[in-house]
Amino acid sequence: QVRLEESGGGLVQAGGSLRLSCAAFGMIFSTNVMGWYRQALGKQRELVATITSGDNTNYADSVKGRFTISRDNAKNTVYLQMNSLKPEDTAVYYCYVEYRRYDAREYDDWGQGTQVTVSS
């Protein structure tokens, strides 16, 4: 069984920074796409950023130039460095991981979510 553990959320003032981490634990042979999504109150979940196993990244237009996604394959961990935070970044942030287990099948899972609140 695989579990994802997120950390790093919290309350920050506008213009501040936070770093989110998400580590995947369990019988994982390899990870493929890893990413972050967010869901603000009353809104649909939306993509924030993704990163492939080859370090190709993709960002939502609203976070380009402010957020940076990275990964540590040895630790099966994905990070999201968030700078110049705005009140509209307030949301629950979920990590997403696609992985292959030792049965050679591919799976994907979501983290439990971590709250990010940006005050004005």
Side-chain angles (χ1 to χ4, degrees):
Q1 192 171 355
V2 172
R3 74 182 192 277
L4 303 183
E5 292 188 0
E6 299 178 11
S7 61
L11 173 64
V12 65
Q13 289 188 333
S17 299
L18 284 173
R19 188 189 193 214
L20 305 182
S21 299
C22 174
F25 296 96
M27 299 298 290
I28 296 173
F29 176 75
S30 64
T31 53
N32 187 11
V33 174
M34 306 179 84
W36 293 93
Y37 289 71
R38 67 187 181 188
Q39 187 167 17
L41 195 63
K43 295 187 177 181
Q44 290 188 332
R45 190 174 298 189
E46 62 177 5
L47 179 145
V48 176
T50 60
I51 184 168
T52 69
S53 56
D55 287 337
N56 292 312
T57 58
N58 179 50
Y59 295 93
D61 288 342
S62 58
V63 306
K64 283 181 181 176
R66 300 189 297 121
F67 291 10
T68 302
I69 190 169
S70 60
R71 60 190 287 164
D72 183 335
N73 291 326
K75 297 180 179 180
N76 289 331
T77 299
V78 61
Y79 305 97
L80 186 68
Q81 178 66 44
M82 304 185 293
N83 298 328
S84 302
L85 281 161
K86 303 175 181 180
E88 51 264 44
D89 294 319
T90 295
V92 178
Y93 283 70
Y94 297 90
C95 72
Y96 170 79
V97 177
E98 294 178 359
Y99 57 92
R100 179 168 295 181
R101 300 184 66 177
Y102 289 94
D103 60 3
R105 296 174 64 180
E106 295 187 344
Y107 300 82
D108 59 63
D109 268 316
W110 292 88
Q112 79 283 1
T114 185
Q115 177 70 45
V116 171
T117 302
V118 184
S119 63
S120 57

